[in-house]
Amino acid sequence: MKHINEDRPLTPCYPPETSVASIPLRPKGFVSLGTKLVSLFSLILIVACASLSWYFIEIRRAAMTTNLQQLGTILLTSVAHNEHFQYAGLVGEDRATLQQFIDGLMAVEEVVYVVVTGVDGNVLARHTKGTRQTSASLVRAVDQPQYPDSQIAKPLFQSPSSTPLMTHLLISNTGADQFAWEETVYDFAMAVQRPAKGATPLSAFPLHLDEVRSHSPPPQATIVSGVVQIGLSDARLKHELRTMAWKILLITTFIIVAGALSVYLLALRITKPLRRLGDAASQVAEGHSPVALMPSSHDEIGQLTNAFNLMARSIQERNSAITGNLATIKHQVGQLTTLHQVSAAIVGTPDRGQLLNTILQLLITNLGFTRMFLMLRHHKRNTAYVAQIAGVSPDIAEAARLLDMPIQDDGSLQADLLIHGKPLLIPNLDSVADRMSPRVLDLARRSGVTSFVAVPLKSHNQMLGYLAADRGSQPCREEDLHMLLTIISHVAAAIDNARAYSHLEELTLNLEQRIAERTQELSIANERLQEHDRQRSLFFSVASHELRTPMTVIRSFADNMRDGVAGPVSEQQLTYLSRIGHNINRLTRIINQLLDWSRLSSQQDLLRLTPVSVEATAILVADSLRTVADEKSITIEIVHANGLPAVRADHDQLEQIFWNLIGNAIKFTPPGGRITVDFQATPEGFVQTSVADTGCGIDPGHIAKLFREFSKVQSANPSAQGAQLGLFITKSLVTIHKGTIWVESTPGAGTRFYFTMPVCRQADRLKAED
């Protein structure tokens, strides 16, 4: 590094509007670094000590309060459960016994009063005392008839509890020294109970299903002999906390003062050399060469002093370099500003004519061009035409717009630009006159062009045209060509986007018209389909209802004939009548399934969602179908699940799901088989139910179409099949409840159907209760 003559003043570079004298070395509101360090460290100490002190006191207060409450519970429980106190003191109303127990309780320092109330509500014994701080005031409060509140003991006669009832009583008073205080008295009240001889449960019948399962005997009746109230004061607790707080405050104050003093001494060691550096920096700011500073230590402050000395020597060299670069930067900023304005115009102007005119005007204004000429290529005719021209007279502009020249590889300037994509810098127009079209050359000479630059417009490997410009009487330079090459890619992209936007608008108009026509066609077709679906549902509903009446009459006559109402029936006739009855039952099932199927479209609107017990519904359906199962010696087992939550479902539809699944299991299970229904709650918020049988099973190839309408699934028991809509209806009912259903089956080993129902949330349960 070169050494600078210290006799020469430094000339730092400032903005033009700022002078050295105007720079404040000590601005208004200046706070020294030492003050900041002491203040910050003191604040940290205060916050830390205060937080730790508060935390310690709060933990201590909570522990002492808990101990006080536990003491009250232990004292009251030991007295209430003492048989001598119950029978001799309360039942026998022995004042000596009561006084003995009261004296024992009052011996505890925290106890301020003891009240014993008989079964008739009258006070049998009462004793009070004050605390060491506020004994006189507390005694006056306790001696008042309403203290402690007699209403506390009344609820315990009607609803006795085995645990004490705790009530907070807040006392506010001013003592003889006019010092205001607050004291909390914890009132512990508990009913004294003794078992009633010969008492029996109120009802011989269980009130809840859980009692049946647990087989637990009913609770034994008890008799309330009276109520005992004990009051414990927290005066001693608060006195200890105040003493502790004063000690902690003294220790905290000592720590804060010692820490602040230590930080102050450390800050002096740091700020003193920094002040010397500040004075030297002031000299540099004023343009003087400061005296070299001697490092006072070998730490970071010493390193900073050495770095400052090196900085002072290099400032003057850098000032000269900065001054030389300002002109270059200013010139580049002007170029970047022009690029930014052109890019903004390209982005904000979708119309191509307006876009091209805006770009040419910006280039003329900001880059100093006199005339600009934009030629575009017509791809269908393979010709070039003038799209925009600026800086010429109206007659020349009109003549230029009439140009439409063919594009040929004839060695002309136009071929270099539009076919080969070469940028051109022409210092002299006459030197290339033989390579220009006569019409273009004539327009250029009439406009006064002597030198020009031209760059091709290229986008997506396709030539769009070229842009030419000149500076009037001044010759064009290499810099002009580079500037146009920088901008031309943006211009080409803008022209390409404008073309695409125009094509897109035309396509959008045609597409909107086609979409409107197709939408109208779909709307008409949808209305026809809805009408067809409505008529189909109406047909099945009416047909199912109309078929039920003759089927009922046929079943009635067949049953009468089979029972011999119309005369003796032979064995063959009985066989025929049995077959008629069997097929009538099958036809009835088909009609019922068709009717349910026709009503599925409106099931969502008819749902009445309430909290429902899946297990209780399964038990109800199983009991209803047990007679049918007993005819085939089939066992139905409902596996109980503890803690099973209620589901949000329509009770009737859930019952129909169980009817379909358990009924199918009975139909397809051979005599002597077993049907098992079990439940479990899933982590996803559902109750999963499975219905398993030991029937014939389902072929794996038929499981995929098992839940479809009118599915053609072969069965080992064809006579038990209906319209093959039962499982479709079951799946539809599960789906509208936002559940899922699936099946697992092994041919010859049985089938297990699973379905889920969403658990009833607490909000749904409260809404249903309202």
Side-chain angles (χ1 to χ4, degrees):
M1 179 179 293
K2 296 181 179 179
H3 293 281
I4 301 175
N5 187 359
E6 295 185 357
D7 295 334
R8 295 173 57 191
L10 296 175
T11 57
C13 180
Y14 299 103
E17 66 277 6
T18 305
S19 63
V20 176
S22 65
I23 301 177
L25 299 181
R26 295 250 175 151
K28 185 178 181 180
F30 172 79
V31 181
S32 65
L33 179 61
T35 304
K36 293 179 180 179
L37 287 175
V38 173
S39 301
L40 177 61
F41 190 76
S42 300
L43 179 61
I44 294 174
L45 279 178
I46 292 172
V47 173
C49 293
S51 301
L52 291 175
S53 302
W54 174 86
Y55 177 76
F56 178 76
I57 293 174
E58 184 62 22
I59 290 297
R60 182 61 179 167
R61 186 199 62 78
M64 295 175 70
T65 302
T66 302
N67 293 338
L68 184 64
Q69 294 175 359
Q70 290 177 353
L71 175 63
T73 302
I74 293 171
L75 292 175
L76 184 58
T77 304
S78 62
V79 172
H81 291 170
N82 191 291
E83 294 183 356
H84 182 63
F85 176 78
Q86 293 179 14
Y87 290 98
L90 287 177
V91 178
E93 297 187 0
D94 185 358
R95 304 288 180 170
T97 301
L98 292 176
Q99 188 62 38
Q100 180 182 358
F101 278 95
I102 290 175
D103 292 341
L105 293 173
M106 296 300 293
V108 179
E109 184 178 358
E110 287 79 2
V111 176
V112 295
Y113 66 82
V114 177
V115 180
V116 180
T117 305
V119 70
D120 54 358
N122 295 324
V123 177
L124 299 180
R126 173 187 295 183
H127 190 79
T128 62
K129 70 177 181 179
T131 61
R132 286 175 295 182
Q133 292 80 11
T134 60
S135 58
S137 300
L138 186 59
V139 168
R140 287 197 298 272
V142 172
D143 286 340
Q144 294 176 0
Q146 68 275 17
Y147 186 86
D149 192 352
S150 59
Q151 299 297 325
I152 296 175
K154 287 185 179 181
L156 297 176
F157 287 101
Q158 286 80 21
S159 301
S161 174
S162 59
T163 58
L165 172 66
M166 185 178 71
T167 306
H168 293 188
L169 303 175
L170 184 63
I171 303 173
S172 298
N173 206 341
T174 304
D177 55 355
Q178 300 301 316
F179 180 74
W181 53 266
E182 284 189 352
E183 181 178 352
T184 301
V185 176
Y186 296 89
D187 183 275
F188 294 86
M190 182 175 179
V192 181
Q193 305 176 58
R194 56 189 177 88
K197 296 183 178 180
T200 59
L202 296 177
S203 175
F205 298 96
L207 299 177
H208 197 273
L209 184 62
D210 294 334
E211 293 183 15
V212 178
R213 298 193 184 102
S214 61
H215 300 288
S216 60
Q220 185 177 3
T222 60
I223 296 176
V224 177
S225 301
V227 174
V228 180
Q229 290 179 254
I230 300 177
L232 277 74
S233 171
D234 65 346
R236 188 170 65 90
L237 181 150
K238 292 182 177 179
H239 177 71
E240 293 181 1
L241 290 177
R242 284 194 295 269
T243 303
M244 183 188 306
W246 278 110
K247 293 179 180 178
I248 292 176
L249 179 61
L250 293 176
I251 296 174
T252 302
T253 303
F254 174 76
I255 293 175
I256 293 173
V257 172
L261 180 61
S262 301
V263 173
Y264 175 74
L265 296 176
L266 178 62
L268 284 179
R269 184 176 178 84
I270 297 174
T271 56
K272 191 173 181 179
L274 288 179
R275 290 195 188 98
R276 292 200 300 269
L277 285 174
D279 296 337
S282 300
Q283 296 179 18
V284 174
E286 293 172 358
H288 304 293
S289 298
V291 179
L293 301 176
M294 295 298 296
S296 60
S297 61
H298 298 286
D299 53 11
E300 288 82 356
I301 300 298
Q303 295 177 359
L304 178 62
T305 303
N306 293 328
F308 179 82
N309 292 331
L310 294 175
M311 178 194 67
R313 297 190 190 101
S314 61
I315 284 180
Q316 189 170 8
E317 294 179 353
R318 296 190 180 185
N319 283 341
S320 59
I322 291 173
T323 303
N325 292 330
L326 280 177
T328 304
I329 293 174
K330 185 176 180 180
H331 180 67
Q332 292 178 349
V333 167
Q335 293 180 345
L336 291 175
T337 302
T338 303
L339 287 175
H340 173 71
Q341 292 177 351
V342 171
S343 300
I346 291 172
V347 174
T349 310
D351 181 69
R352 189 178 70 173
Q354 182 181 359
L355 171 66
L356 297 179
N357 182 63
T358 302
I359 292 175
L360 296 188
Q361 293 298 333
L362 282 173
L363 294 178
I364 290 176
T365 302
N366 295 327
L367 299 183
F369 290 115
T370 304
R371 288 169 287 267
M372 299 208 74
F373 179 79
L374 179 61
M375 202 84 166
L376 292 183
R377 181 174 186 172
H378 197 293
H379 291 279
K380 292 183 179 180
R381 298 196 305 264
N382 196 28
T383 59
Y385 65 95
V386 177
Q388 193 70 31
I389 189 170
V392 297
S393 60
D395 57 332
I396 295 177
E398 187 65 25
R401 290 190 178 92
L402 298 177
L403 292 177
D404 191 10
M405 298 175 296
I407 300 175
Q408 299 175 353
D409 193 2
D410 53 3
S412 63
L413 297 182
Q414 182 171 281
D416 289 345
L417 291 167
L418 297 180
I419 297 178
H420 302 292
K422 297 179 179 178
L424 300 177
L425 171 59
I426 307 301
N428 189 354
L429 180 64
D430 295 332
S431 63
V432 293
D434 57 335
R435 299 180 59 194
M436 297 179 62
S437 169
R439 298 176 61 185
V440 175
L441 179 62
D442 179 61
L443 289 176
R445 285 177 173 172
R446 287 171 56 188
S447 302
V449 176
T450 57
S451 174
F452 68 91
V453 291
V455 291
L457 291 167
K458 186 177 181 180
S459 177
H460 302 291
N461 296 324
Q462 185 180 16
M463 292 297 176
L464 303 179
Y466 65 88
L467 178 66
D470 78 298
R471 290 186 174 272
S473 59
Q474 297 180 4
C476 292
R477 299 168 296 178
E478 193 77 21
E479 182 182 351
D480 299 328
L481 181 63
H482 291 317
M483 178 60 67
L484 287 183
L485 287 173
T486 304
I487 299 175
I488 203 65
S489 60
H490 299 277
V491 178
I495 295 174
D496 199 14
N497 292 339
R499 284 183 176 179
Y501 182 76
S502 177
H503 294 162
L504 181 60
E505 280 188 334
E506 181 179 358
L507 179 62
T508 301
L509 291 176
N510 296 334
L511 185 60
E512 287 179 353
Q513 183 178 1
R514 294 180 61 186
I515 289 175
E517 294 174 355
R518 184 58 58 88
T519 302
Q520 186 177 4
E521 294 175 1
L522 290 176
S523 177
I524 296 173
N526 185 43
E527 291 177 359
R528 292 177 180 174
L529 287 175
Q530 289 180 354
E531 179 63 22
H532 174 72
D533 184 67
R534 188 187 66 81
Q535 292 179 358
R536 184 200 66 170
S537 299
L538 180 61
F539 167 75
F540 280 112
S541 178
V542 174
S544 300
H545 280 290
E546 293 298 328
L547 287 174
R548 281 185 172 183
T549 301
M551 289 302 302
T552 304
V553 176
I554 293 172
R555 181 186 292 108
S556 177
F557 280 112
D559 291 342
N560 290 339
M561 292 179 66
R562 187 176 57 186
D563 295 339
V565 175
V569 181
S570 63
E571 184 176 350
Q572 186 176 8
Q573 292 173 337
L574 184 61
T575 301
Y576 289 165
L577 290 173
S578 298
R579 292 180 179 177
I580 291 173
H582 175 76
N583 284 281
I584 288 174
N585 291 333
R586 182 181 179 189
L587 187 56
T588 301
R589 289 197 303 272
I590 294 174
I591 292 172
N592 289 334
Q593 289 181 349
L594 288 174
L595 186 59
D596 292 338
W597 177 60
S598 67
R599 289 198 299 253
L600 275 179
S601 60
S602 61
Q603 285 291 345
Q604 182 68 39
D605 298 332
L606 297 178
L607 286 180
R608 294 182 297 274
L609 300 177
T610 58
V612 181
S613 171
V614 178
E615 182 180 352
T617 305
I619 293 174
L620 178 63
V621 174
D623 290 342
S624 302
L625 292 173
R626 207 173 295 277
T627 303
V628 182
D630 291 342
E631 293 177 359
K632 298 176 66 174
S633 300
I634 295 175
T635 302
I636 301 179
E637 180 185 2
I638 307 296
V639 181
H640 170 66
N642 291 323
L644 194 67
V647 299
R648 187 171 182 264
D650 187 305
H651 184 275
D652 295 336
Q653 305 305 336
L654 181 59
E655 188 173 319
Q656 184 176 356
I657 292 172
F658 278 112
W659 269 96
N660 290 346
L661 294 179
I662 299 178
N664 272 0
I666 294 174
K667 287 189 293 184
F668 295 103
T669 300
R674 172 180 290 274
I675 298 173
T676 305
V677 182
D678 58 11
F679 321 90
Q680 67 175 0
T682 66
E684 293 80 12
F686 290 85
V687 173
Q688 176 180 301
T689 305
S690 70
V691 180
D693 61 54
T694 58
C696 56
I698 304 171
D699 187 87
H702 295 154
I703 290 180
K705 56 183 179 180
L706 191 63
F707 296 102
R708 298 177 186 173
E709 299 176 275
F710 307 106
S711 58
K712 302 299 182 182
V713 179
Q714 299 297 327
S715 174
N717 188 9
S719 62
Q721 288 184 314
Q724 295 183 327
L725 287 171
L727 290 178
F728 170 74
I729 294 171
T730 302
K731 181 180 179 180
S732 300
L733 294 178
V734 171
T735 302
I736 64 178
H737 281 84
K738 299 182 180 179
T740 55
I741 185 170
W742 68 96
V743 62
E744 296 176 357
S745 181
T746 303
T751 304
R752 182 182 292 270
F753 283 89
Y754 297 90
F755 74 91
T756 61
M757 285 286 169
V759 171
C760 182
R761 301 189 301 271
Q762 183 67 22
D764 297 330
R765 190 187 302 274
L766 294 176
K767 184 177 180 181
E769 292 177 357
D770 293 340

